[in-house]
Amino acid sequence: MTPRFLGSEIYRRSSYGAWHPLRIPRVSTVMDLARAMGWFGAGQFVPSPRAKAAALTAWHTADYVAAVEAAEAAGEVSEAMRVRHGLGTVSNPVFPEMFRRPATSVGASILAGELLRDGGVVHSPAGGTHHAFPDRAGGFCYFNDPVFAVLSLRANGVRRVAYVDIDAHHPDGVEHAFAGDTDVLMLSVHEERRWPFTGALEERGAGEVWNLPVPRGFNDSEMRAALEGLILPRLAAFRTEAVVLQCGADAVEEDPLSRLSLSNNAHWEVVAAVKAAAPRLLVLGGGGYNPWTVGRLWAGNWAVLNGHDIPERLPAEAEAVLRALVWTGARAGKAPPEHWMTTLRDAPREGEVREEVRGRIRALAERARVWA
Ligand SMILES: [Zn+2]
């Protein structure tokens, strides 16, 4: 079945504000690159619907959904709302599309569950907002679209869903939703000792929670060790019917918010391998705060999902998309390296698989063996 891409123009226009890490364009860059490359075949681009407030209350509280809607309408929040729902904070500011924008990424995740009913592949780079809680915004996330993706797959008859998250941050909101549910496999690879400080190796939930915290400098070889020693064996043992893959772009070397050292080759390798491991795949976005690395990585995800070759040097129209990006307030934005403009693929960042990484993968494999 032909992969579908769920996108919207709302992401081009909206910004979290002049000083927020999400002041940068991301989804619109991916859409522009895919168009420039001729990577949208007939019918592949599907505009995201926007989830209605009533649909959002399938997981979020009615009070919270109403508060986000009211904050968008008023352009401000009261002190009480800030304290109660985490709205109007430095990380989750009030901005003009603060309800419509996240409601659109939830709409995409709900639609993805329908499109994947009989199998296939969907990419929704606006999705992956894994830190939102039922009653509370957090970590730049307002509504938790990955949770809605899992719920929608389930509503469409898919029972065993794996949620795999390779963002630099642990998906605390998604784990909150499904840690107690043995029909959802929860698997996360994330930087240790980083916000939100959840996702310990020892956490098990009801038995299908697998967390691999990794040290600074985590490289492509180490991600391959995690893929082969943890992700693929768990997906196989779980008899996975669908995978929701949160493919945050903040674990790459050039991201300003975390200290991991992957190249985008590592993400593409995970995407290709996970696609082969289950009959249904939804690839979401997530974190990612360098406009060039995010756009290049997620455009490459779309190429991998379609089996397109990624050329060594981009054609002029695609290069123009990357040359038009600006990254204000960031040192690297002043003199971005030339290969951020002319390529999608990073130089690989292979390295030693350190014993602390190896040992943790071993510990999880041992836990799986004992329980089998
Ligand atoms: Zn992140």
Side-chain angles (χ1 to χ4, degrees):
M1 263 179 269
T2 318
R4 315 283 182 89
F5 183 107
L6 305 184
S8 168
E9 285 297 321
I10 195 170
Y11 306 109
R12 188 186 305 278
R13 299 187 306 267
S14 84
S15 163
Y16 279 45
W19 301 106
H20 196 283
L22 286 178
R23 66 191 175 279
I24 58 167
R26 307 190 316 153
V27 176
S28 52
T29 309
V30 183
M31 286 162 44
D32 293 348
L33 283 171
R35 282 205 187 93
M37 297 301 295
W39 287 345
F40 284 145
Q44 284 195 287
F45 181 88
V46 180
S48 300
R50 186 196 310 159
K52 295 201 166 35
L56 293 165
T57 60
W59 191 68
H60 293 285
T61 65
D63 283 353
Y64 174 61
V65 173
V68 181
E69 222 174 354
E72 178 179 281
E76 60 182 12
V77 286
S78 65
E79 182 59 23
M81 289 293 108
R82 179 172 11 253
V83 171
R84 182 169 167 204
H85 295 302
L87 297 169
T89 64
V90 171
S91 56
N92 288 83
V94 173
F95 68 97
E97 299 86 9
M98 65 181 285
F99 175 83
R100 285 168 290 163
R101 173 173 163 153
T104 303
S105 47
V106 171
S109 280
I110 293 172
L111 176 60
E114 295 164 17
L115 294 172
L116 292 172
R117 179 198 301 258
D118 301 317
V121 172
V122 172
H123 185 27
S124 173
T129 52
H130 56 181
H131 297 305
F133 277 75
D135 199 35
R136 197 170 177 83
F140 315 162
C141 305
Y142 296 80
F143 300 129
N144 198 314
D145 75 272
V147 168
F148 285 91
V150 174
L151 295 178
S152 178
L153 281 160
R154 196 172 270 179
N156 284 284
V158 183
R159 188 168 150 237
R160 299 176 72 77
V161 180
Y163 175 76
V164 179
D165 190 311
I166 57 171
D167 190 282
H169 302 89
H170 177 254
D172 52 348
V174 188
E175 191 175 285
H176 173 84
F178 299 118
D181 187 336
T182 52
D183 278 342
V184 180
L185 174 83
M186 291 286 313
L187 199 160
S188 172
V189 180
H190 50 268
E191 186 176 349
E192 64 184 356
R193 292 193 284 277
R194 176 163 296 288
W195 188 91
F197 306 109
T198 49
L201 182 75
E202 297 76 19
E203 276 173 31
R204 301 173 172 208
E208 288 296 353
V209 172
W210 306 87
N211 283 315
L212 179 64
V214 297
R216 283 180 173 199
F218 187 62
N219 63 45
D220 291 1
S221 309
E222 290 174 325
M223 180 58 102
R224 188 172 307 114
L227 177 64
E228 290 170 357
L230 174 66
I231 298 175
L232 295 178
R234 287 304 94 228
L235 291 180
F238 187 66
R239 301 189 311 281
T240 306
E241 296 172 22
V243 178
V244 176
L245 174 63
Q246 201 271 21
C247 203
D250 49 6
V252 295
E253 169 75 15
E254 297 87 354
D255 190 88
L257 260 60
S258 57
R259 295 293 187 86
L260 304 181
S261 297
L262 298 177
S263 79
N264 56 25
N265 295 279
H267 296 76
W268 298 344
E269 199 173 323
V270 170
V271 168
V274 165
K275 177 172 179 265
R280 298 171 188 82
L281 173 62
L282 168 60
V283 178
L284 302 172
Y289 307 99
N290 173 325
W292 285 281
T293 56
V294 178
R296 292 164 69 246
L297 194 160
W298 292 347
N301 278 353
W302 180 240
V304 169
L305 292 173
N306 284 278
H308 293 309
D309 284 332
I310 296 170
E312 215 148 284
R313 189 183 169 114
L314 290 172
E317 309 87 271
E319 186 177 325
V321 172
L322 293 168
R323 287 209 185 274
L325 293 175
V326 286
W327 193 15
T328 51
R331 184 192 293 262
K334 290 200 178 78
E338 189 63 11
H339 71 271
W340 288 0
M341 315 293 162
T342 58
T343 68
L344 292 189
R345 186 185 297 279
D346 296 333
R349 291 186 171 275
E350 303 289 344
E352 182 199 352
V353 181
R354 288 165 288 177
E355 180 47 38
E356 51 200 315
V357 174
R358 217 186 279 280
R360 288 171 203 175
I361 294 171
R362 227 177 10 240
L364 293 172
E366 177 66 9
R367 187 179 117 196
R369 195 186 62 76
V370 169
W371 283 24

